[in-house]
Amino acid sequence: MIRVAIAGARGKMGIEAVHTVLNREGMELVAALDYKDLGPTLGNLEMFPDYYDTPIYTDFAQLVAETKPDVLLDLTSPHSVYQHTKEALEHNVRPVIGTTGFTDEQLQELTELARSKKIGCIIAPNFAIGAILMMKFAKEAAKYLPDVEIIEMHHDRKLDAPSGTGIKTAQMIAEVRQSKIQGHPDEKETHEGARGADFEGMKIHSVRLPGLVAHQQVLFGGDGQLLTIRHDSLNRESFMSGVAFCINTVITMDKLVYGLENII
């Protein structure tokens, strides 16, 4: 039985994850971590049934001492995810991270910490299996069509832009793409930002609107043709099979992995 603690249980992703862990064979939800003192158990919160008796903690060290989790599933925000990940590794708890916003320096530090501890850590910019396949297919296409732009679209409560999935897609494409600067050499933005963020000559565009969940399309242009690779998450249930896969997998690992495409 894998003992799981969840940080961010009150969020939309967190609510789905609570139900997923409670209903999955081989998993036990032993604790929730929150920055607010909300009451003794999840059952005290309006979004959960009264009989959800999982305890809520505001202090991670106390959570570990009293509930002894094997895995911390973090679905919080870019403001707190680095500290949560570091604390989990320091306490020999395996992090599964579904929050983006790490700097390159933070990722390097956490990679070295996981290596020194010899425990697994998974940082997943996207848990949806279809999104992972979208990134893999985009990487393959970039070998032949190096003119590419990425349009990522999310709900208007998302804090970081571009999204972790958008950046990860660009990083994967850059591994195989012929380096080039796209567009006209004399191109000029009449409104700053109109052409999007620049990543090694590629452009990433971020859309934030109510009603969206998580969507991305990768556009490849060629002579007389356009190839579009697109993935849409229509609800947060689409991420849960990936969440469960990561919880089951991180137990067997002894290093940090960034991106599900590296273990699928």
Side-chain angles (χ1 to χ4, degrees), residues 20-119:
T20 295
V21 173
L22 284 172
N23 292 313
R24 286 274 174 162
E25 186 176 348
M27 296 182 191
E28 179 183 3
L29 184 61
V30 297
L33 179 66
D34 205 295
Y35 70 96
K36 288 185 177 181
D37 187 359
L38 299 165
T41 70
L42 290 179
N44 293 98
L45 309 181
E46 63 181 14
M47 67 280 295
F48 298 114
D50 294 343
Y51 58 84
Y52 277 27
D53 59 357
T54 302
I56 302 174
Y57 293 84
T58 57
D59 181 81
F60 187 67
Q62 182 185 3
L63 182 156
V64 172
E66 295 184 5
T67 66
K68 298 178 172 55
D70 302 306
V71 174
L72 173 69
L73 173 61
D74 189 287
L75 302 167
T76 56
S77 74
H79 300 310
S80 55
V81 65
Y82 163 71
Q83 187 61 37
H84 287 172
T85 308
K86 185 177 180 180
E87 283 186 316
L89 289 170
E90 289 172 342
H91 285 85
N92 296 308
V93 178
R94 293 162 174 81
V96 171
I97 309 300
T99 308
T100 55
F102 292 96
T103 65
D104 291 341
E105 292 76 16
Q106 289 172 342
L107 285 173
Q108 183 60 38
E109 180 185 354
L110 295 172
T111 297
E112 293 173 358
L113 182 56
R115 183 184 299 118
S116 68
K117 290 281 189 176
K118 292 183 170 60
I119 60 175

Side-chain angles (χ1 to χ4, degrees), residues 130-152:
I132 305 308
L133 294 174
M134 175 263 299
M135 289 188 277
K136 281 179 171 283
F137 298 157
K139 180 177 180 179
E140 184 66 21
K143 297 176 184 177
Y144 309 100
L145 295 169
D147 289 279
V148 53
E149 302 211 4
I150 298 169
I151 304 173
E152 56 91 355

Side-chain angles (χ1 to χ4, degrees), residues 13 153-156 158 209-215 232-239:
M13 274 282 286
M153 299 163 283
H154 285 78
H155 54 88
D156 62 342
K158 186 169 179 58
L209 286 171
L212 295 174
V213 179
H215 317 261
D232 297 276
S233 282
L234 304 178
N235 56 51
R236 288 165 180 83
E237 187 179 353
S238 66
F239 305 119

Side-chain angles (χ1 to χ4, degrees), residues 135-260:
M135 289 188 277
K136 281 179 171 283
F137 298 157
K139 180 177 180 179
E140 184 66 21
K143 297 176 184 177
Y144 309 100
L145 295 169
D147 289 279
V148 53
E149 302 211 4
I150 298 169
I151 304 173
E152 56 91 355
M153 299 163 283
H154 285 78
H155 54 88
D156 62 342
R157 307 309 294 169
K158 186 169 179 58
L159 297 179
D160 55 324
S163 68
T165 301
I167 294 172
K168 183 63 175 175
T169 305
Q171 290 171 339
M172 291 174 63
I173 289 173
E175 293 174 9
V176 300
R177 173 179 173 267
Q178 173 188 335
S179 180
K180 65 179 298 184
I181 304 300
Q182 297 175 184
H184 195 283
D186 297 326
E187 179 181 80
K188 180 181 179 181
E189 289 182 330
T190 56
H191 290 275
E192 185 179 355
R195 289 290 291 120
D198 186 276
F199 188 98
E200 298 190 18
M202 293 176 278
K203 299 296 184 180
I204 308 177
H205 309 268
S206 297
V207 177
R208 298 291 179 266
L209 286 171
L212 295 174
V213 179
H215 317 261
Q216 181 169 293
Q217 51 185 326
V218 189
L219 284 69
F220 296 90
D223 295 334
Q225 60 182 313
L226 176 70
L227 170 64
T228 302
I229 302 173
R230 176 171 179 140
H231 177 263
D232 297 276
S233 282
L234 304 178
N235 56 51
R236 288 165 180 83
E237 187 179 353
S238 66
F239 305 119
M240 292 303 112
S241 59
V243 167
F245 174 79
C246 287
I247 291 172
N248 282 312
T249 302
V250 76
I251 292 294
T252 68
M253 295 167 48
D254 61 0
K255 63 181 180 180
L256 183 148
V257 169
Y258 178 59
L260 282 190

